[in-house]
Amino acid sequence: MSTKTFRPWLVDQLQLLPPSVDEFVPAGHLSHFIRDMVREDLDLSSILDVYSEDRGYPPYDPRMMTALLLYGYSRGVYSSRRLARSCDERLDFMAVTAMNRPDHRTISDFRKRHLSALSGLFLQVLTLCRKAGLVALNHVSVDGTKMKANASKNKAMSYGRMKTAEVDLEAEVARWLKSAEAADAAEDAEFGDKRGDETPDWMTSKEKRLAKIKEARAALEAEAKAKSENKKAEAAKSGKDPEDPDDPPASSGKKRGPKPKTPEGMPSDKTQRNFTDPDSKIMLGRDGFIQGYNAQVAVDARAQIILAHDLNNCAADCTQLVPMVDAVIANTGKAPDELSADAGYCSEANIAAMENRKIDAFIATGRQKHNSPAADGGRAKTPKTEEMRKRLREGGYESPYRLRKQTVEPVFGQIKHARGFRQFLMRGIENVSAEWAMICTVHNILKLAKAT
């Protein structure tokens, strides 16, 4: 045998004194930072005030549950089952929970119950980041990314397909019912006490699918009708013809285009709706078409702190610039000195809106080619876009637009790649918006932890 002496490996020996959770992981570990920040710096009154009932078994401390969720998100652990398993197996999670072990149902229910309050922590964390000197508002970049919804694009159906599928399914169900009625006598003898006309499983699934199609079709028709009514109301206010947005005068010589084939107040045959998450839409992402949402952020250039966030089911970014900038002003109380955004945000109205807010904007007017100093070309030649195109060209490689790629794009890389968040867990735009707020909150917490 070897004569070498090894360190003792005493598996069965009990510890004389119970260990402290502070000793589970090294000093300065992220688990200590998030746990102490939740206990000392965050106002959780909106969550704590819900627990007013004196009776019943004591629940887990809401502060502990909040710290568990924030720490789990910071480590790329999002599902309630993985969070519960981590509480059993990982020392860093035990340091956060002080060895409490909530099961996955408790974690899931807590997150759903307090989702709105948890999303509201974003402003509190942003305030801490500003106090730490991580926000300068010298340059802010706005961008969006397509995130997968908790739904498959194969579970979506177009309005045109709904109309044909509904007729086919109704005819098929009618044939089944007629066949079942004709076989009643034989089934009575075979099934005994049973009636024999019970709806088979294979029929029930078709009937459920037919009900879902009818519900989705009615929702699409309601959305189209509401959109048509809003369009008429806006046209009435502006004095324009709702059938022609441009409303050219008769003497202009401009020919009116052909009337749309889709009846007024009805959805187009290509309009789609998903049965799993109706709020999500099919969008074109970097990896092809996905069923998802468009997640927006505004990021400060000093330390990549997210100043504002938003989420919608519109694939286009153009209409999101002004709301994002206004959200930055509302969250910080000050407008940024400079702003950069890619070509998806370029429009005459957006450039004018930035001028009205006294913001020095650098918005690409086209896609930037490789080794090209400016992102120009592609957009319509309107006065303000032409002025912006000329400005970017003259700035060249020294234009503040260059800060966009090193400000906002790394944030999406850290969220999607480093922390592995590529698909939402929840469904419905309200729930998904709150979930995106939690992701942005945790991103800022990590930046704050690194700086302190």
Side-chain angles (χ1 to χ4, degrees):
M1 293 181 62
S2 174
T3 59
K4 180 66 176 178
T5 301
F6 299 100
R7 298 183 184 184
W9 184 31
L10 306 175
V11 177
D12 298 323
Q13 180 173 319
L14 301 178
Q15 294 183 348
L16 180 62
L17 297 174
S20 169
V21 293
D22 287 332
E23 299 174 357
F24 287 176
V25 290
H29 194 271
L30 181 64
S31 59
H32 298 320
F33 178 84
I34 291 182
R35 182 195 63 213
D36 295 339
M37 182 190 67
V38 171
R39 293 175 64 196
E40 300 170 5
D41 298 322
L42 297 185
D43 179 12
L44 301 183
S45 57
S46 58
I47 296 177
L48 295 172
D49 290 346
V50 176
Y51 298 88
S52 57
E53 178 61 56
D54 294 331
R55 298 172 296 176
Y57 194 77
Y60 287 104
D61 192 323
R63 297 172 300 171
M64 182 274 291
M65 297 293 292
T66 301
L68 170 61
L69 285 173
L70 293 178
Y71 182 71
Y73 275 47
S74 73
R75 290 309 194 194
V77 181
Y78 305 105
S79 75
S80 57
R81 294 183 184 275
R82 289 185 61 200
L83 286 168
R85 186 164 61 249
S86 298
C87 292
D88 289 334
E89 299 175 352
R90 292 179 51 169
L91 287 176
D92 54 340
F93 278 81
M94 295 179 190
V96 173
T97 64
M99 300 190 70
N100 283 291
R101 297 180 178 181
D103 59 27
H104 74 277
R105 182 59 60 194
T106 301
I107 297 172
S108 177
D109 290 345
F110 179 87
R111 177 164 49 190
K112 287 189 291 187
R113 184 183 186 187
H114 304 291
L115 191 59
S116 177
L118 290 170
S119 66
L121 298 178
F122 175 82
L123 288 178
Q124 294 190 45
V125 175
L126 177 59
T127 300
L128 295 177
C129 292
R130 296 185 66 193
K131 289 181 179 178
L134 301 181
V135 176
L137 289 173
N138 294 329
H139 187 97
V140 171
S141 295
V142 177
D143 203 359
T145 185
K146 308 301 189 295
M147 299 285 290
K148 290 182 179 179
N150 188 5
S152 170
K153 64 181 179 181
N154 297 321
K155 294 297 182 181
M157 183 179 286
S158 67
Y159 181 72
R161 176 65 184 136
M162 286 180 191
K163 292 188 291 187
T164 58
E166 184 177 337
V167 175
D168 294 342
L169 283 173
E170 284 180 342
E172 189 172 355
V173 171
R175 288 197 302 269
W176 290 337
L177 292 174
K178 185 176 181 180
S179 176
E181 184 180 354
D184 274 348
E187 290 176 350
D188 284 341
E190 181 180 352
F191 292 108
D193 293 338
K194 294 184 178 180
R195 297 193 313 272
D197 61 349
E198 291 84 6
T199 304
D201 293 338
W202 48 266
M203 185 187 296
T204 305
S205 62
K206 292 288 186 180
E207 288 178 333
K208 289 181 178 179
R209 180 169 176 80
L210 178 58
K212 277 184 172 286
I213 290 175
K214 287 184 176 180
E215 180 184 354
R217 181 179 175 183
L220 286 177
E221 291 173 352
E223 290 176 1
K225 184 177 180 181
K227 187 181 293 185
S228 176
E229 291 176 353
N230 291 337
K231 184 177 179 181
K232 286 182 178 180
E234 292 177 0
K237 291 180 180 178
S238 59
K240 290 186 178 181
D241 182 2
E243 297 297 329
D244 185 359
D246 295 329
D247 194 25
S251 60
S252 65
K254 182 179 178 181
K255 295 182 179 180
R256 293 179 181 268
K259 291 184 178 180
K261 296 180 180 180
T262 303
E264 183 181 348
M266 295 295 290
S268 167
D269 285 347
K270 294 183 179 180
T271 305
Q272 293 192 341
R273 187 174 181 87
N274 191 276
F275 297 135
T276 307
D277 184 359
D279 289 340
S280 63
K281 302 294 182 183
I282 291 183
M283 301 179 180
L284 180 60
R286 290 185 178 273
D287 301 325
F289 287 97
I290 63 170
Q291 188 76 34
Y293 291 94
N294 187 356
Q296 300 278 321
V297 292
V299 182
D300 188 85
R302 172 172 288 183
Q304 295 178 352
I305 296 295
I306 298 176
L307 303 177
H309 60 81
D310 194 13
L311 183 135
N312 58 77
N313 55 10
C314 178
D317 290 330
C318 192
T319 58
Q320 307 304 315
L321 183 63
V322 174
M324 288 301 299
V325 171
D326 289 344
V328 170
I329 298 173
N331 292 344
T332 63
K334 178 186 174 184
D337 298 331
E338 295 178 349
L339 178 134
S340 60
D342 63 22
Y345 297 90
C346 184
S347 72
E348 193 84 353
N350 283 346
I351 298 175
M354 297 304 102
E355 292 176 354
N356 293 336
R357 288 161 176 77
K358 304 295 190 295
I359 298 175
D360 199 8
F362 298 86
I363 305 175
T365 59
R367 192 173 183 85
Q368 185 172 5
K369 297 180 181 180
H370 187 61
N371 290 330
S372 173
D376 54 14
R379 288 291 172 181
K381 294 184 178 181
T382 55
K384 293 189 181 299
T385 54
E386 276 298 297
E387 184 181 343
M388 181 64 67
R389 182 182 288 113
K390 180 180 178 182
R391 185 183 190 192
L392 292 175
R393 236 179 239 158
E394 291 177 349
Y397 293 108
E398 300 301 320
S399 171
Y401 179 77
R402 76 189 189 283
L403 298 176
R404 189 191 70 84
K405 285 188 176 181
Q406 66 193 53
T407 299
V408 66
E409 291 191 0
V411 171
F412 291 136
Q414 293 157 23
I415 291 174
K416 288 185 169 183
H417 182 72
R419 295 191 284 281
F421 189 84
R422 295 179 176 272
Q423 182 173 3
F424 291 106
L425 299 177
M426 299 185 176
R427 296 168 182 168
I429 194 166
E430 290 186 6
N431 292 337
V432 173
S433 297
E435 190 176 4
W436 180 241
M438 288 184 62
I439 294 296
C440 296
T441 301
V442 169
H443 173 85
N444 286 350
I445 289 175
L446 289 171
K447 296 294 183 181
L448 181 63
K450 187 177 180 181
T452 55

Short mmCIF file of all heavy atoms in Angstrom, two decimals, residues 47-72:
data_model
loop_
_atom_site.label_atom_id
_atom_site.label_comp_id
_atom_site.label_asym_id
_atom_site.label_seq_id
_atom_site.Cartn_x
_atom_site.Cartn_y
_atom_site.Cartn_z
N ILE A 47 -45.36 43.25 -2.11
CA ILE A 47 -45.49 41.79 -1.98
C ILE A 47 -45.88 41.42 -0.55
O ILE A 47 -46.79 40.61 -0.32
CB ILE A 47 -44.17 41.10 -2.37
CG1 ILE A 47 -43.86 41.35 -3.85
CG2 ILE A 47 -44.24 39.60 -2.09
CD1 ILE A 47 -42.55 40.75 -4.31
N LEU A 48 -45.23 42.04 0.42
CA LEU A 48 -45.47 41.68 1.83
C LEU A 48 -46.88 42.05 2.27
O LEU A 48 -47.47 41.35 3.10
CB LEU A 48 -44.44 42.38 2.72
CG LEU A 48 -42.98 41.95 2.53
CD1 LEU A 48 -42.05 42.85 3.32
CD2 LEU A 48 -42.79 40.51 2.97
N ASP A 49 -47.44 43.13 1.73
CA ASP A 49 -48.77 43.58 2.15
C ASP A 49 -49.87 42.60 1.77
O ASP A 49 -50.98 42.66 2.31
CB ASP A 49 -49.08 44.95 1.55
CG ASP A 49 -48.21 46.05 2.17
OD1 ASP A 49 -47.59 45.79 3.20
OD2 ASP A 49 -48.15 47.15 1.59
N VAL A 50 -49.58 41.72 0.83
CA VAL A 50 -50.59 40.73 0.41
C VAL A 50 -50.85 39.72 1.51
O VAL A 50 -51.96 39.19 1.64
CB VAL A 50 -50.13 40.03 -0.88
CG1 VAL A 50 -51.10 38.93 -1.29
CG2 VAL A 50 -49.98 41.05 -2.01
N TYR A 51 -49.83 39.48 2.34
CA TYR A 51 -49.94 38.45 3.39
C TYR A 51 -50.52 39.08 4.65
O TYR A 51 -49.80 39.46 5.57
CB TYR A 51 -48.56 37.84 3.67
CG TYR A 51 -47.97 37.15 2.47
CD1 TYR A 51 -47.20 37.85 1.54
CD2 TYR A 51 -48.19 35.79 2.26
CE1 TYR A 51 -46.66 37.22 0.44
CE2 TYR A 51 -47.65 35.15 1.15
CZ TYR A 51 -46.89 35.86 0.25
OH TYR A 51 -46.35 35.23 -0.85
N SER A 52 -51.84 39.18 4.68
CA SER A 52 -52.52 39.79 5.84
C SER A 52 -53.29 38.78 6.67
O SER A 52 -53.81 39.12 7.73
CB SER A 52 -53.48 40.89 5.35
OG SER A 52 -54.41 40.35 4.43
N GLU A 53 -53.40 37.54 6.21
CA GLU A 53 -54.16 36.51 6.91
C GLU A 53 -53.32 35.92 8.04
O GLU A 53 -52.19 35.47 7.83
CB GLU A 53 -54.58 35.41 5.94
CG GLU A 53 -55.34 34.26 6.58
CD GLU A 53 -56.64 34.72 7.20
OE1 GLU A 53 -57.47 35.32 6.50
OE2 GLU A 53 -56.79 34.49 8.42
N ASP A 54 -53.85 35.95 9.27
CA ASP A 54 -53.12 35.43 10.43
C ASP A 54 -53.20 33.91 10.53
O ASP A 54 -52.30 33.27 11.08
CB ASP A 54 -53.67 36.03 11.74
CG ASP A 54 -53.42 37.53 11.80
OD1 ASP A 54 -52.42 37.97 11.20
OD2 ASP A 54 -54.21 38.24 12.44
N ARG A 55 -54.28 33.35 10.01
CA ARG A 55 -54.46 31.92 10.13
C ARG A 55 -53.68 31.17 9.06
O ARG A 55 -53.20 31.74 8.10
CB ARG A 55 -55.96 31.57 10.01
CG ARG A 55 -56.82 32.17 11.11
CD ARG A 55 -58.29 31.95 10.82
NE ARG A 55 -58.71 32.63 9.60
CZ ARG A 55 -59.93 32.53 9.07
NH1 ARG A 55 -60.85 31.77 9.66
NH2 ARG A 55 -60.23 33.18 7.97
N GLY A 56 -53.61 29.85 9.23
CA GLY A 56 -52.95 29.02 8.24
C GLY A 56 -51.50 28.75 8.57
O GLY A 56 -50.88 29.40 9.43
N TYR A 57 -50.94 27.79 7.86
CA TYR A 57 -49.55 27.42 8.07
C TYR A 57 -48.64 28.54 7.55
O TYR A 57 -48.89 29.11 6.49
CB TYR A 57 -49.24 26.12 7.34
CG TYR A 57 -47.94 25.48 7.74
CD1 TYR A 57 -47.83 24.78 8.94
CD2 TYR A 57 -46.81 25.59 6.92
CE1 TYR A 57 -46.63 24.20 9.31
CE2 TYR A 57 -45.60 25.01 7.29
CZ TYR A 57 -45.52 24.32 8.49
OH TYR A 57 -44.33 23.75 8.86
N PRO A 58 -47.59 28.90 8.29
CA PRO A 58 -46.72 30.01 7.86
C PRO A 58 -46.11 29.75 6.48
O PRO A 58 -45.53 28.69 6.25
CB PRO A 58 -45.64 30.07 8.95
CG PRO A 58 -46.26 29.41 10.13
CD PRO A 58 -47.17 28.35 9.59
N PRO A 59 -46.22 30.69 5.57
CA PRO A 59 -45.60 30.52 4.24
C PRO A 59 -44.11 30.82 4.29
O PRO A 59 -43.59 31.33 5.30
CB PRO A 59 -46.35 31.54 3.37
CG PRO A 59 -46.71 32.62 4.34
CD PRO A 59 -46.97 31.96 5.67
N TYR A 60 -43.43 30.52 3.18
CA TYR A 60 -42.02 30.91 3.07
C TYR A 60 -41.91 32.43 3.05
O TYR A 60 -42.80 33.12 2.56
CB TYR A 60 -41.40 30.33 1.80
CG TYR A 60 -41.16 28.84 1.86
CD1 TYR A 60 -42.00 27.95 1.19
CD2 TYR A 60 -40.09 28.32 2.59
CE1 TYR A 60 -41.77 26.59 1.23
CE2 TYR A 60 -39.87 26.95 2.64
CZ TYR A 60 -40.71 26.09 1.96
OH TYR A 60 -40.49 24.74 2.02
N ASP A 61 -40.82 32.94 3.58
CA ASP A 61 -40.59 34.38 3.62
C ASP A 61 -40.57 34.92 2.19
O ASP A 61 -39.77 34.47 1.36
CB ASP A 61 -39.25 34.67 4.31
CG ASP A 61 -39.08 36.15 4.64
OD1 ASP A 61 -39.51 36.99 3.83
OD2 ASP A 61 -38.51 36.45 5.70
N PRO A 62 -41.44 35.88 1.86
CA PRO A 62 -41.46 36.42 0.50
C PRO A 62 -40.13 37.04 0.07
O PRO A 62 -39.79 37.02 -1.11
CB PRO A 62 -42.55 37.49 0.56
CG PRO A 62 -43.43 37.08 1.68
CD PRO A 62 -42.51 36.45 2.70
N ARG A 63 -39.37 37.56 1.02
CA ARG A 63 -38.05 38.10 0.67
C ARG A 63 -37.12 37.00 0.20
O ARG A 63 -36.35 37.18 -0.76
CB ARG A 63 -37.46 38.83 1.88
CG ARG A 63 -38.26 40.05 2.33
CD ARG A 63 -37.73 40.60 3.64
NE ARG A 63 -37.81 39.59 4.70
CZ ARG A 63 -37.27 39.71 5.90
NH1 ARG A 63 -36.58 40.81 6.19
NH2 ARG A 63 -37.40 38.75 6.80
N MET A 64 -37.18 35.85 0.88
CA MET A 64 -36.37 34.71 0.46
C MET A 64 -36.78 34.22 -0.92
O MET A 64 -35.93 33.92 -1.78
CB MET A 64 -36.49 33.58 1.48
CG MET A 64 -35.64 32.34 1.17
SD MET A 64 -36.45 31.15 0.07
CE MET A 64 -37.74 30.54 1.15
N MET A 65 -38.09 34.16 -1.18
CA MET A 65 -38.58 33.69 -2.47
C MET A 65 -38.18 34.66 -3.59
O MET A 65 -37.81 34.24 -4.69
CB MET A 65 -40.10 33.54 -2.42
CG MET A 65 -40.60 32.50 -1.43
SD MET A 65 -40.14 30.81 -1.89
CE MET A 65 -41.13 30.58 -3.35
N THR A 66 -38.22 35.95 -3.29
CA THR A 66 -37.80 36.95 -4.28
C THR A 66 -36.32 36.82 -4.59
O THR A 66 -35.90 36.85 -5.76
CB THR A 66 -38.11 38.37 -3.77
OG1 THR A 66 -39.51 38.49 -3.52
CG2 THR A 66 -37.67 39.42 -4.77
N ALA A 67 -35.50 36.67 -3.54
CA ALA A 67 -34.06 36.50 -3.74
C ALA A 67 -33.77 35.22 -4.52
O ALA A 67 -32.86 35.20 -5.37
CB ALA A 67 -33.35 36.46 -2.38
N LEU A 68 -34.53 34.16 -4.25
CA LEU A 68 -34.34 32.91 -4.98
C LEU A 68 -34.61 33.10 -6.47
O LEU A 68 -33.83 32.63 -7.32
CB LEU A 68 -35.27 31.83 -4.41
CG LEU A 68 -35.38 30.53 -5.21
CD1 LEU A 68 -34.03 29.84 -5.31
CD2 LEU A 68 -36.40 29.59 -4.57
N LEU A 69 -35.70 33.78 -6.82
CA LEU A 69 -36.02 34.00 -8.23
C LEU A 69 -34.96 34.86 -8.92
O LEU A 69 -34.50 34.54 -10.02
CB LEU A 69 -37.39 34.66 -8.36
CG LEU A 69 -38.61 33.75 -8.11
CD1 LEU A 69 -39.88 34.59 -8.09
CD2 LEU A 69 -38.71 32.68 -9.19
N LEU A 70 -34.56 35.94 -8.27
CA LEU A 70 -33.57 36.84 -8.88
C LEU A 70 -32.22 36.13 -9.05
O LEU A 70 -31.57 36.27 -10.09
CB LEU A 70 -33.41 38.10 -8.03
CG LEU A 70 -34.62 39.03 -7.96
CD1 LEU A 70 -34.33 40.21 -7.04
CD2 LEU A 70 -35.02 39.52 -9.34
N TYR A 71 -31.83 35.37 -8.03
CA TYR A 71 -30.54 34.66 -8.16
C TYR A 71 -30.63 33.56 -9.21
O TYR A 71 -29.68 33.38 -9.99
CB TYR A 71 -30.13 34.06 -6.81
CG TYR A 71 -28.79 33.37 -6.89
CD1 TYR A 71 -27.62 34.10 -7.03
CD2 TYR A 71 -28.71 31.97 -6.88
CE1 TYR A 71 -26.38 33.46 -7.13
CE2 TYR A 71 -27.48 31.34 -6.97
CZ TYR A 71 -26.32 32.08 -7.10
OH TYR A 71 -25.10 31.44 -7.21
N GLY A 72 -31.74 32.84 -9.24
CA GLY A 72 -31.89 31.80 -10.25
C GLY A 72 -31.82 32.37 -11.65
O GLY A 72 -31.14 31.83 -12.52
#
